[in-house]
Amino acid sequence: MRLFFLIVLPFFFQTYGQIKSIKTISINSDMNIWSFAVLKNSQTNENYLVIYSLNDKPAKSKISVYNSKYQLVLEKEFTEILPYFSSSSGSHSTVLGRKNFHFIGEKYVYILDIDKLKIESIKLSDNRYENINQKRRVYYEQLNNQEILVFDCGKTIDIYATNHFKLLYSFKKEYEERGSGTKPFIDQNNIIYLNKKNELICKEIKTDRIIWEYSTGTEGISFLGITVGNAPDYISEYILVDEKPRSIFINTSAGDLIKINAENGKEIVKHDRFRNNKNLTKSYDGRLTFISQADMNEDGIPDFPSVSTDKNIYCINGKDLSTMWYYSTSSKFEDLISLYDINSDSIPEIFAINIDQSIFIIDGKTGHALVNEKLSTSGFGSRAVLCDYNSDGSLDLVCILPTNQVSIYELNDINVNKGLIVINK
């Protein structure tokens, strides 16, 4: 029995109604739900929920597929842990709405085909992925008008053609990054990735030639106002910004916000420690996580709505990296936010779920809360995937709540195109 607690602004309640639970899907196994995505049958336009669950010891995992009527239509178990839908900023969006997904194992790649409702396998030509673990990530990109799969696997980034799964290119990294916000990006004919803890590198894909390198350097560590040493200012997250010329927004472990030119790696603007925290050892009290991008003030420049380790929700100005507004909460966020305009002002609202299982819907223009509602009495923070899952014309919210269950909620009176899947950048 769920306990619902609702605090909304009166005008929102009168206009849109409340969030109501319409379905909860439980996984009856000894595995834990690790990730999920909403994919689409390209022939029927029906949405399907794909749930990936796993267990570390012994190593095993499972793919479960449900149709829009919430019926289990496909399930397959594996005796290994497969790379899954990533929670990285700008990467989970490469999976949503697809008709297929590639799970790469030690000896085989397994292809989930939603149109055929089957899982096919292709044997890999070598043993390059032995001892693989769940921290490896899979992303979809475009290269020369061809869809490619980018597989970030430890100290190697492999690029495959998805139509025949042939290895096209491979790149070496000096640092085996496993963070949630450091996916490689393809920018025209170049690849941009985290080469070291505090260094981004841009290479020409065909030649492996280095085009530029950008280092965030080191930061002084202070205690009681006294500098006691230096430490690398790690790049904790970065995204490729959809503007001309293309840029990269970087967030560091010290809370620095930086914007560089994606073509030459030159710094455009930097905001040191945007929370004005002078002690590096406490920088995690103010560091952005799960960064998104959208024009939040209609100036034509993408801004950066994000949650933070200090339990706040921020909107960072894309031009000068100043804080446009922030909203304070009482608990941390541990997964992606979603963006969608529900009040028809051309600026998307922010949907975020914290570790107390409360959902916040924040007005993108003002930073005021439209909804602060308790969804469950157990569980952790979850991403909020927005869609019209059952194609009834109403906006739905899909999340992992409570523990080991995927729940689907409907936002009353918010009408959308039937079958919509909201895909954010």
Side-chain angles (χ1 to χ4, degrees), residues 61-306:
S61 57
K62 183 168 64 176
I63 300 170
S64 306
V65 182
Y66 293 81
N67 64 15
S68 60
K69 297 179 180 178
Y70 319 111
Q71 299 167 327
L72 180 65
V73 293
L74 178 64
E75 193 165 65
K76 184 177 179 63
E77 190 167 315
F78 305 86
T79 56
E80 60 180 319
I81 295 175
L82 305 173
Y84 54 92
F85 324 110
S86 172
S87 294
S88 303
S89 298
S91 63
H92 188 255
S93 60
T94 71
V95 177
L96 290 175
R98 291 182 56 81
K99 66 177 183 179
N100 56 29
F101 185 81
H102 296 71
F103 295 85
I104 300 178
E106 291 188 6
K107 297 180 179 180
Y108 292 89
V109 55
Y110 304 97
I111 305 172
L112 168 62
D113 189 321
I114 292 297
D115 285 358
K116 299 177 182 178
L117 281 181
K118 64 185 299 186
I119 297 175
E120 301 174 329
S121 62
I122 299 175
K123 187 174 177 57
L124 295 169
S125 59
D126 54 30
N127 297 321
R128 64 193 296 117
Y129 302 132
E130 286 185 343
N131 301 316
I132 205 168
N133 66 48
Q134 74 268 29
K135 295 297 185 181
R136 309 307 189 237
R137 302 290 193 253
V138 174
Y139 318 101
Y140 294 93
E141 294 274 7
Q142 291 286 325
L143 179 63
N144 298 324
N145 297 318
Q146 177 187 19
E147 184 183 67
I148 59 172
L149 183 146
V150 181
F151 186 35
D152 188 0
C153 45
K155 290 190 175 181
T156 303
I157 299 173
D158 290 341
I159 296 179
Y160 289 89
T162 57
N163 56 352
H164 49 66
F165 209 75
K166 177 183 177 182
L167 182 63
L168 301 177
Y169 306 99
S170 185
F171 301 89
K172 298 293 184 182
K173 297 189 296 182
E174 292 189 32
Y175 174 54
E176 186 176 357
E177 172 55 41
R178 300 182 182 180
S180 62
T182 53
K183 73 173 287 284
F185 283 95
I186 304 296
D187 184 25
Q188 299 181 24
N189 296 315
N190 302 329
I191 183 169
I192 300 166
Y193 61 90
L194 191 69
N195 187 46
K196 300 177 182 178
K197 291 183 179 181
N198 60 347
E199 178 188 271
L200 281 179
I201 193 169
C202 176
K203 288 185 176 181
E204 187 177 45
I205 292 175
K206 289 186 177 181
T207 65
D208 202 31
R209 177 176 64 91
I210 297 176
I211 297 175
W212 55 258
E213 296 168 294
Y214 179 84
S215 174
T216 52
T218 60
E219 285 277 350
I221 302 175
S222 62
F223 180 73
L224 299 177
I226 302 173
T227 300
V228 296
N230 292 289
D233 191 8
Y234 299 153
I235 295 174
S236 58
E237 195 160 346
Y238 62 93
I239 59 172
L240 184 64
V241 184
D242 188 17
E243 63 179 343
K244 294 184 179 180
R246 302 267 266 183
S247 64
I248 301 170
F249 177 59
I250 301 171
N251 176 42
T252 75
S253 59
D256 295 345
L257 306 181
I258 306 167
K259 197 174 182 181
I260 65 174
N261 188 306
E263 296 178 0
N264 56 31
K266 295 187 180 299
E267 196 171 286
I268 299 172
V269 60
K270 182 178 181 180
H271 192 327
D272 290 337
R273 302 188 184 183
F274 83 105
R275 284 298 312 275
N276 296 317
N277 192 330
K278 300 303 181 182
N279 189 342
L280 184 63
T281 60
K282 295 183 179 180
S283 64
Y284 290 98
D285 291 337
R287 178 173 57 82
L288 301 181
T289 57
F290 305 110
I291 301 167
S292 294
Q293 59 177 302
D295 185 1
M296 306 294 285
N297 56 6
E298 298 183 287
D299 65 352
I301 300 173
D303 305 301
F304 308 113
S306 171

